[in-house]
Amino acid sequence: TDRTYLAAVAADADAVVDAATGRAARVSETLTPITLKARADIKPAPREREAPPPAVVTETLADFGLAGPSGLFAIEGGGATGKSWVLRAVAVRLARAQAAEGAAAAWLPLLLTLATIASIDDAIAKHEHAAALVKARDERRLVLLLDGLDEVPGARRGAILEAVDAAAAAGAVVVLSSRPSAANADELAPLGFRFFAAMPLRAEAVAAALANAPTAEIVETPLALSLAKRALERGEAPGSRAELYKSAIEQRLAESRGGGAASRLLREAL
């Protein structure tokens, strides 16, 4: 049922990671802000929806800075800029909002990693909650959160884009993430996708998260912020990104390998 599915998605709240700490936090708590900025330089083709999604969907998306009449959004950003975090947080927040409302027919958020699926319909058919998702798809109340278009092999990209277009035509709201690529605008803007850029973390948010430590000056991404937070907790003070990532690798190796020849070889390779 919708209620069972929403409860399962909402339970993922404990696995959403706060960019400031790198640790699990509930979505309802205050998280370090990741800002999305609308791209005025990419003009989406007009695309009419049969009907607008309900307020709970548009308001949830607006909380993350996503808005537009087509209900189709593309988030671009470099590695570790928080794109996947945004998709996961949208899913959890939308599930929680609707579970609280107790709506009889909810808009179901479905998070998919594009590089690992054969097709959207196939992923739905194989899902643990396939019955609820198929019903939502057929009743035009699905919110697709599609992660990693850039990671889809070139030979499959065309088929994935056709599936995304078909899902949009079938009434789905679609939020898609990718690293920046000229091909994205060429292929997605004609389908009606509005583009957003994942912005570097605000300096004041980073400084607050790191208690104004000098290391804050080298931090711009959620991943770097998480690593810096942990480094400071260990009593370290990395002064460059190279030092920060070296520290993180050393710590990870120490935790997973426990030293030894194999650890040294892996450290050299990294």
Side-chain angles (χ1 to χ4, degrees), residues 74-107:
I75 301 172
E76 285 191 327
T81 52
K83 303 182 299 295
S84 298
W85 181 92
V86 169
L87 297 185
R88 196 169 188 176
V90 167
V92 174
R93 195 168 293 180
L94 181 57
R96 283 187 158 205
Q98 293 182 104
E101 288 182 350
W107 279 65

Side-chain angles (χ1 to χ4, degrees), residues 55-166:
V56 67
V57 174
T58 57
E59 289 171 2
T60 297
L61 293 173
D63 285 343
F64 294 88
L66 297 167
S70 69
L72 307 175
F73 311 102
I75 301 172
E76 285 191 327
T81 52
K83 303 182 299 295
S84 298
W85 181 92
V86 169
L87 297 185
R88 196 169 188 176
V90 167
V92 174
R93 195 168 293 180
L94 181 57
R96 283 187 158 205
Q98 293 182 104
E101 288 182 350
W107 279 65
L108 302 188
L110 176 61
L111 176 61
L112 298 173
T113 302
L114 289 174
T116 65
I117 64 172
S119 70
I120 294 171
D121 283 342
D122 181 69
I124 290 174
K126 293 178 178 178
H127 199 281
E128 178 184 359
H129 298 276
L133 289 167
V134 167
K135 192 170 188 291
R137 178 196 64 195
D138 295 346
E139 294 178 359
R140 307 173 74 87
R141 48 183 181 84
L142 200 60
V143 179
L144 291 173
L145 305 164
L146 308 178
D147 198 16
L149 177 62
D150 58 293
E151 297 172 2
V152 174
R156 295 184 52 239
R157 185 178 172 102
I160 288 293
L161 289 172
E162 288 180 6
V164 170
D165 187 36

